[in-house]
Amino acid sequence: LFFIWILLQFLAPIAIPSESIYKLDGSVGLIDNQKEIYNMTVPWNSIYSCGDFLCHQKLDRSFSINGNEMPFCARCTAIWLGIAIGVWFIVFYKINLDEKFIILIFIGLFPIGIDGLGQLFGLWESNNIIRVITGVLTGVICGLAIGIIIDEVRDIFISRKKNC
């Protein structure tokens, strides 16, 4: 499902008319671009609405395809991609939820935290390459965690069925 979600994010700017959506800058948690999104067809309007609500969509921090700004900024797109990669990895490999994985979580989240705080306090302005790298790393860690949680919940239900 995460791979389909990522694919739809890349197809959305291709599916709508060229150079019809750009400068979506807004605030996270608000629908700032309803006017532009309203005229899109399904499912592209839903994808851009999710981006509008979940991401700041700043033009200078986003990629464009077909002359259209993508539904999410570079970092958010990379996080979604990383989640898909992390969940995919868990399908083929078993990772235990232990202290080593907890340390891996902190190591994996450290770069995005440093980059985000540095930008927040005006120490530097990150670029899209750094945003993609930190986003994918964070997404992979989150995807692994999601996969581990799904495995743990499945194991609990399987063991309960055996005991019944």
Side-chain angles (χ1 to χ4, degrees), residues 44-70:
W44 318 122
N45 58 351
S46 298
I47 293 162
Y48 272 95
S49 289
C50 287
D52 194 20
F53 187 73
L54 297 173
C55 178
H56 59 67
Q57 297 177 311
K58 291 182 180 178
L59 182 60
D60 62 328
R61 295 182 181 185
S62 299
F63 293 119
S64 294
I65 299 176
N66 190 32
N68 293 313
E69 186 177 338
M70 289 191 62

Side-chain angles (χ1 to χ4, degrees), residues 122-140:
L123 301 175
W124 60 76
E125 182 63 28
S126 189
N127 61 44
N128 282 346
I129 293 171
I130 299 295
R131 291 183 187 107
V132 167
I133 292 168
T134 59
V136 167
L137 185 58
T138 297
V140 167

